[in-house]
Amino acid sequence: MGEYLLEMKNITKTFPGVKALDNVQLNVRKGTVHALMGENGAGKSTLMKCLFGIYEPNGGEIFLDGKKANIHSARQAMDQGIAMVHQELHPIRFRSVMENVYLGRFPGHMGVVNHKAMYDKTKALFEDLELDVDPLALAGEQSAAILQMMEIARAVDMKAKIIILDEPTSSLSDREVEHLFKIINRLRSQGVAFIYISHKMKEILEISDEVTIMRDGTYVGTWPVVNKETGEKLTNDFIIRQMVGREMTSQFPPREGKPSSEVVLKVEHVCSPLRKSFQDVSFELHKQEILGIGGLVGAQRTEFVEALFGLRGIASGEILLNGARYSAKSPGFAKSRGLALLTEERRATGIFGILPILENTVIANQKNYAHLGILNERKRRIDADEECRKLNVKTPSLATLIQNLSGGNQQKVLIARWLLTNSDILILDEPTRGIDVGAKYEIYNIMLEQIAQGRSIIMISSEMPELMGMSDRIMVMCEGRVTGFLNKGEYSQEKIMALATQFAVHKDNTAA
Amino acid sequence: MAENTTSRSKRLFTTAGLIFLALGIVLYFAKAPMGLNRKIYDLPIFLIIIGVCFALKGFMSKNAPVNELETSRVSFVEFLTNNAILLAMLVLVVVICILQPRFMQIRVALDILTQSSTKLIMALGICFALLIAGTDLSAGRMVGLAAVVSASMMQTATYANRFFPDLPQVEVWIPIVAAIAACMVFGALNGFIVAKYEMHPFIATLATQVIIYGVCSLYFDMPPNNSQPIGGIRSDFAQIGQMRLFSGIYKGFPGISILIPISIVICIIIWFILNKTIFGKNVYAIGGNREAAVVAGINVFRNIMFIFILASFLYGIAGVLEAARTAGATNNYGNGYETDAIAACVVGGVSMNGGIGRVGGIIMGVLIFTVIQYGLQFINVSPMWQQVIKGVIIAVAVAIDLTKYRRK
């Protein structure tokens, strides 16, 4: 056996008009975690899809255990010990967890499934992974973290030698990440190799042994996280420099000016009709302020801002918008009152994938281009073009389908959409999720520009550095309640975590 | 590279157009002296029309600045898959023309267009439901409803078996409005169930379909009619579907059926609605991603209501035209029209997943079906085989269409 478990050599993949991968290599050792990094659009996903048989590379070779491998379908990849846990999981929602684990490989004879064996095997697997889930529970009712563990369990059961994790922590809380890392460490010691795709530097430096960096479809280099000779660790700055190919002086652009004392939005004792959702939320948003909302997954932050935007019901409480009473009836009404919401799930609730950028940009603002319902095409085009240019959306033309853009550019189009409506209050729910470093910086810049123009921003973020780096004030939520506010200058990860984990003591728990 | 493709196709269309045009003119003047009248019929005129169309397309197409990322060289295979059904139809037409030269007549072409007209109106109505990833099973029954309602009020005073024996001579527009309004009531019902309860349109319109048929049959069964076919239609009403324009323009010219201009006008209106109005853009948006449309502040309820009401308006028109064209009606009119309309839409490139579809494609889809049906009849293919062929076309056309969106 050679030095590497997996060798991908000179992989090239072209799509009509685009060279997505150009002579890329990736060498993974047995029993290591190999981080694969690069900006969005650098070709990480394409490379993984080539490995997993979803794409056929136009050139290059793949060696497994030193032997040339032929992989033409996901099935063949799995048979050869490669498993992939996708970033967005699509379980069969109305089937049990165990059926999802054994999908395509049900235990049994002559087409008759042995449910007992499936149950026992799943139970044993889950115990091994310290996962407390009933194999008979419906997959659709499980959290993202459990679904991910389910996928890993599946990979373990299939005796996978290489497990690809694509942005595994993007929707996990810190505690869930800890659990994931524990499992990864255990499997690594058993000789399993991981290919770990993530944008989160801290995680990469914590969990991985080696880092391969890609840029614009090309291979930049591979480095061990800890240099064996010198004992030096890789640094954030070094990785970012390699990824973007330029010096990044700072992660966040400098904030100029201060929020004014004028209150634009006053929320008082707002409660959800659902008992487990947000309760008694009160705060003030000042003009030209960035109010960050921190908290763990399940803190009901998204639910709260969606209610503010009219997507969910509000049972009680009062909201004053510029001093006047505001009732969040519908998104259309919220829009007419100058609110804008950039949702967390860009693909599910943000973009219209099969429509061109033009339509995606102007969709919320059609009324301003229409006379008696008839649209003025020229005005639409000019506005969309101007706004996309301002926000530096990188696209061949406005006619390009938005689904063909990278995540960062999609996000910019969505921001452009809401800037066109002339909203005064921008609610940004995880504005930089799944976006590469360069685009993140651009989005921060856009946020500051909007503040300078007199707008106000509410930003939900699960990334601590972002929350602390961008917010003028941080409101922390836990289980639907506001557990505290932090002013600029008193931020620290510890303080935020402390507030975010202030779980209520349920007195009725024993009774229930 | 991209620049070349555009200008090459432009050149191609222009030259082909001019060649067809020249050939047509030559044949036009040569056919009588050469004794070809009974061999090629109106072929020269078709050649001239095709030639002019091609040449215009060539002249009009702009050398738009196309980016390299977007369009790579359109290969021959790609061209074939993009236009497979159209090409298959052309081959069939050529074969039929060789087997049966009589097919090459203006009157045949006009016949095909006339037969396509009501189908086209139906397809344009149903395409809205398809564009929001739904469907409309009640379309056919609405045609029946509109036909029965309008015909019941449009019988001649002397006809023995009148639906309303004492009804005076009413203005023609009254039953038309009544018929269309009846359809729109059920359209609103469709829209309400779909929008309010977020029911899948398949179920919602299935329910309405049954209700409409029941209501229509009840009406049809009222004494003294007692479920007898409605006949004795007034000629001024029948003219709405039967009138022929320019019929005596030259000897042997059958005239252009009034249905053709009606459907052309409706095509233009629907094209305008889909492409130039807020409502149209909202339809694509809701079909593209309903959740995102909600977040963008689009009033999904109102738009879905409007979709089904507009569609029922079109079915109503189709029903009235059917009653007028056939000068009669029964409660079984329009049965199964919705499946034909859906088939024409999907063959014309409308995606059942919503968000994709163009009026041009729908026109193509409808024409393909009529041409093939008419052509097969023309060469005496058994109606049973026609059914088989029709089914194969649907499956193959959509399969080819879907491969366009899949890339490996």
Side-chain angles (χ1 to χ4, degrees):
Chain A
M1 202 183 107
E3 190 183 358
Y4 297 108
L5 176 61
L6 167 76
E7 288 170 273
M8 296 180 81
K9 284 184 178 164
N10 305 327
I11 303 290
T12 299
K13 173 73 187 167
T14 53
F15 292 116
V18 202
K19 202 162 199 178
L21 294 176
D22 189 4
N23 272 313
V24 176
Q25 54 167 309
L26 178 69
N27 299 319
V28 179
R29 290 172 220 267
K30 194 168 184 259
T32 62
V33 175
H34 196 110
L36 182 59
M37 301 193 74
E39 295 189 291
N40 280 1
K44 295 166 307 209
S45 299
T46 313
L47 184 67
M48 288 304 103
K49 282 177 177 166
C50 286
L51 175 59
F52 202 56
I54 297 170
Y55 289 151
E56 293 267 345
N58 303 92
E61 288 167 317
I62 299 174
F63 294 92
L64 281 170
D65 275 337
K67 283 184 287 269
K68 195 167 175 340
N70 281 310
I71 302 171
H72 302 291
S73 70
R75 182 90 218 180
Q76 287 179 357
M78 287 191 254
D79 290 344
Q80 294 175 59
I82 302 170
M84 184 158 175
V85 179
H86 295 269
Q87 182 179 4
E88 276 161 46
L89 300 168
H90 300 285
I92 303 176
R93 306 184 61 85
F94 292 102
R95 297 268 91 191
S96 65
V97 167
M98 65 174 191
E99 279 181 60
N100 273 281
V101 171
Y102 282 96
L103 196 67
R105 336 167 271 126
F106 291 124
H109 278 292
M110 321 240 312
V112 179
V113 176
N114 184 344
H115 284 89
K116 175 89 176 54
M118 183 155 64
Y119 182 89
D120 293 342
K121 279 171 139 188
T122 312
K123 193 95 192 153
L125 261 180
F126 282 2
E127 267 163 23
D128 199 38
L129 297 181
E130 296 169 36
L131 201 55
D132 183 26
V133 178
D134 179 8
L136 292 175
L138 288 188
E141 290 169 357
Q142 308 305 319
S143 68
I146 290 177
L147 291 177
Q148 205 164 56
M149 284 296 170
M150 196 179 86
E151 286 295 317
I152 293 175
R154 191 178 153 84
V156 171
D157 187 61
M158 286 161 71
K159 308 263 177 313
K161 288 179 285 186
I162 301 167
I163 300 178
I164 306 165
L165 299 175
D166 191 358
E167 300 260 4
T169 59
S170 63
S171 50
L172 301 193
S173 67
D174 284 358
R175 204 180 308 166
E176 290 164 337
V177 171
E178 226 170 81
H179 183 202
L180 175 71
F181 281 5
K182 207 165 138 193
I183 301 299
I184 292 179
N185 279 327
R186 166 113 57 84
L187 293 172
R188 165 161 60 184
S189 65
Q190 291 166 11
V192 176
F194 286 88
I195 300 174
Y196 191 98
I197 301 178
S198 177
H199 288 298
K200 296 184 184 168
M201 302 288 170
K202 194 174 140 270
E203 278 170 18
I204 297 276
L205 295 179
E206 185 184 331
I207 192 77
S208 46
D209 303 293
E210 283 180 304
V211 180
T212 288
I213 294 175
M214 293 173 68
R215 189 198 309 146
D216 298 334
T218 58
Y219 172 78
V220 177
T222 302
W223 294 269
V225 169
V226 181
N227 192 320
K228 273 180 198 143
E229 287 151 31
T230 61
E232 266 178 66
K233 269 194 110 171
L234 282 185
T235 61
N236 270 1
D237 289 348
F238 177 80
I239 294 175
I240 293 175
R241 218 160 41 230
Q242 298 303 330
M243 273 165 63
V244 295
R246 61 179 180 270
E247 294 282 341
M248 290 281 280
T249 45
S250 165
Q251 243 182 311
F252 302 101
R255 168 87 157 98
E256 281 157 22
K258 270 189 179 152
S260 89
S261 57
E262 191 186 332
V263 175
V264 288
L265 181 74
K266 188 168 177 170
V267 174
E268 286 182 320
H269 311 294
V270 166
C271 298
S272 162
L274 302 172
R275 210 171 60 86
K276 287 200 166 172
S277 194
F278 59 89
Q279 297 296 337
D280 197 21
V281 177
S282 303
F283 68 88
E284 284 177 351
L285 176 69
H286 296 261
K287 194 174 175 184
Q288 297 186 299
E289 181 183 34
I290 300 181
L291 175 70
I293 306 183
L296 301 173
V297 172
Q300 305 294 324
R301 297 171 295 170
T302 297
E303 286 76 3
F304 168 68
V305 295
E306 284 182 355
L308 203 56
F309 195 65
L311 284 162
R312 287 167 192 269
I314 292 178
S316 63
E318 197 170 41
I319 305 170
L320 295 173
L321 189 62
N322 295 318
R325 271 201 73 163
Y326 161 85
S327 61
K329 282 187 275 198
S330 70
F333 182 76
K335 185 171 78 176
S336 71
R337 290 299 143 98
L339 262 63
L341 172 66
L342 198 69
T343 53
E344 181 183 10
E345 301 282 335
R346 189 167 51 238
R347 223 172 297 172
T349 58
I351 62 165
F352 300 95
I354 54 174
L355 297 184
I357 291 171
L358 169 67
E359 305 295 344
N360 272 285
T361 314
V362 297
I363 189 73
N365 197 31
Q366 303 272 41
K367 282 204 179 91
N368 287 343
Y369 307 113
H371 182 66
L372 298 172
I374 297 165
L375 291 163
N376 181 334
E377 194 60 36
R378 216 176 62 90
K379 260 164 108 185
R380 274 162 30 100
R381 212 164 273 281
I382 290 173
D383 259 21
D385 190 61
E386 201 182 283
E387 207 60 45
C388 287
R389 236 175 256 278
K390 251 194 247 161
L391 300 194
N392 197 15
V393 177
K394 288 180 201 103
T395 168
S397 87
L398 286 178
T400 308
L401 302 188
I402 195 168
Q403 63 192 11
N404 296 337
L405 295 187
S406 69
N409 280 311
Q410 289 181 356
Q411 196 74 315
K412 283 191 248 172
V413 170
L414 292 182
I415 295 177
R417 176 193 292 175
W418 288 115
L419 294 185
L420 276 179
T421 63
N422 253 326
S423 312
D424 298 323
I425 299 176
L426 306 175
I427 306 169
L428 311 177
D429 194 353
E430 306 283 1
T432 62
R433 163 171 294 181
I435 288 180
D436 59 67
V437 181
K440 268 186 185 174
Y441 196 82
E442 283 183 83
I443 286 182
Y444 297 145
N445 258 329
I446 293 167
M447 286 168 66
L448 291 181
E449 272 165 36
Q450 300 317 315
I451 291 296
Q453 288 173 23
R455 295 188 163 106
S456 316
I457 292 178
I458 298 174
M459 176 186 74
I460 295 180
S461 177
S462 294
E463 285 181 43
M464 291 283 187
E466 175 176 287
L467 198 61
M468 297 192 290
M470 289 303 296
S471 312
D472 293 318
R473 207 149 55 96
I474 298 175
M475 174 169 102
V476 186
M477 290 178 73
C478 175
E479 290 185 321
R481 292 166 297 114
V482 175
T483 46
F485 289 88
L486 292 170
N487 288 318
K488 207 166 200 157
E490 52 183 38
Y491 297 162
S492 77
Q493 296 222 20
E494 291 73 24
K495 278 185 191 162
I496 297 174
M497 271 323 282
L499 289 171
T501 50
Q502 245 179 48
F503 296 101
V505 186
H506 291 293
K507 286 184 185 142
D508 54 346
N509 244 6
T510 42
Chain B
M1 179 174 93
E3 203 74 13
N4 268 340
T5 324
T6 335
S7 50
R8 190 166 358 112
S9 80
K10 179 175 169 146
R11 231 181 300 132
L12 193 77
F13 272 111
T14 321
T15 10
L18 292 175
I19 291 172
F20 278 128
L21 189 62
L23 197 64
I25 293 171
V26 169
L27 279 176
Y28 185 78
F29 290 108
K31 75 172 177 176
M34 286 172 72
L36 287 172
N37 260 339
R38 297 264 144 228
K39 293 229 171 71
I40 58 174
Y41 290 89
D42 295 328
L43 181 65
I45 295 172
F46 285 123
L47 284 177
I48 291 172
I49 294 171
I50 295 170
V52 170
C53 289
F54 270 32
L56 278 181
K57 187 176 160 67
F59 283 127
M60 305 277 274
S61 67
K62 285 174 281 191
N63 277 333
V66 191
N67 194 289
E68 221 177 318
L69 272 172
E70 281 190 295
T71 45
S72 55
R73 194 193 309 264
V74 181
S75 67
F76 185 60
V77 179
E78 242 174 279
F79 177 77
L80 285 185
T81 45
N82 282 345
N83 301 286
I85 285 294
L86 190 64
L87 293 172
M89 186 184 81
L90 282 179
V91 171
L92 183 77
V93 167
V94 170
V95 171
I96 294 170
C97 289
I98 293 167
L99 292 174
Q100 241 344 323
R102 281 192 299 118
F103 197 70
M104 294 178 276
Q105 292 179 86
I106 295 286
R107 57 180 317 140
V108 171
L110 286 173
D111 251 12
I112 288 172
L113 289 180
T114 311
Q115 289 190 10
S116 303
S117 300
T118 28
K119 290 185 194 167
L120 183 55
I121 296 171
M122 296 291 297
L124 290 173
I126 226 159
C127 82
F128 284 91
L130 296 179
L131 280 174
I132 57 162
T135 184
D136 191 346
L137 299 179
S138 63
R141 292 304 185 188
M142 289 214 200
V143 168
L145 180 71
V148 168
V149 169
S150 57
S152 69
M153 293 186 232
M154 282 280 108
Q155 290 167 302
T156 49
T158 53
Y159 188 66
N161 211 346
R162 287 190 85 196
F163 198 95
F164 298 113
D166 305 322
L167 191 76
Q169 180 93 352
V170 294
E171 294 276 346
V172 173
W173 63 267
I174 293 171
I176 295 178
V177 170
I180 293 174
C183 287
M184 286 167 81
V185 168
F186 287 104
L189 178 65
N190 271 336
F192 184 78
I193 310 178
V194 172
K196 176 80 182 172
Y197 302 104
E198 299 195 6
M199 197 185 287
H200 192 281
F202 187 94
I203 306 297
T205 57
L206 177 67
T208 359
Q209 177 205 44
V210 180
I211 296 173
I212 295 170
Y213 183 56
V215 169
C216 183
S217 300
L218 284 171
Y219 180 77
F220 191 60
D221 195 36
M222 283 197 309
N225 194 59
N226 297 330
S227 293
Q228 294 171 61
I230 300 171
I233 298 300
R234 274 160 49 184
S235 66
D236 54 345
F237 179 66
Q239 277 302 301
I240 294 170
Q242 297 176 345
M243 198 202 294
R244 291 187 172 268
L245 308 168
F246 311 115
S247 51
I249 205 166
Y250 67 84
K251 195 174 145 290
F253 185 67
I256 296 169
S257 163
I258 181 112
L259 297 176
I260 297 173
I262 290 177
S263 59
I264 289 175
V265 168
I266 290 177
C267 276
I268 293 169
I269 293 172
I270 297 300
W271 178 86
F272 186 84
I273 289 177
L274 275 178
N275 294 289
K276 299 286 168 194
T277 65
I278 294 187
F279 169 67
K281 297 289 179 187
N282 287 349
V283 170
Y284 283 111
I286 293 170
N289 186 345
R290 191 186 158 126
E291 303 307 316
V294 172
V295 173
I298 292 172
N299 190 331
V300 174
F301 179 87
R302 199 192 298 158
N303 279 290
I304 289 181
M305 282 295 283
F306 197 66
I307 283 171
F308 282 97
I309 294 174
L310 176 66
S312 61
F313 174 77
L314 293 175
Y315 308 145
I317 292 178
V320 170
L321 293 176
E322 279 290 281
R325 184 178 65 84
T326 57
T330 73
N331 59 341
N332 269 321
Y333 262 48
N335 186 16
Y337 277 25
E338 65 276 357
T339 47
D340 281 351
I342 293 171
C345 281
V346 295
V347 168
V350 179
S351 161
M352 291 293 278
N353 294 327
I356 301 173
R358 293 176 25 241
V359 170
I362 297 167
I363 297 175
M364 221 60 226
V366 172
L367 283 179
I368 283 168
F369 274 111
T370 329
V371 165
I372 288 173
Q373 195 177 352
Y374 198 97
L376 292 176
Q377 271 169 20
F378 216 86
I379 54 172
N380 289 324
V381 173
S382 129
M384 299 164 211
W385 274 111
Q386 287 179 29
Q387 289 290 316
V388 174
I389 293 169
K390 208 164 132 186
V392 170
I393 288 170
I394 297 172
V396 172
V398 177
I400 292 171
D401 203 37
L402 288 176
T403 53
K404 272 194 282 187
Y405 300 109
R406 204 174 299 144
R407 70 175 185 190
K408 177 116 178 167

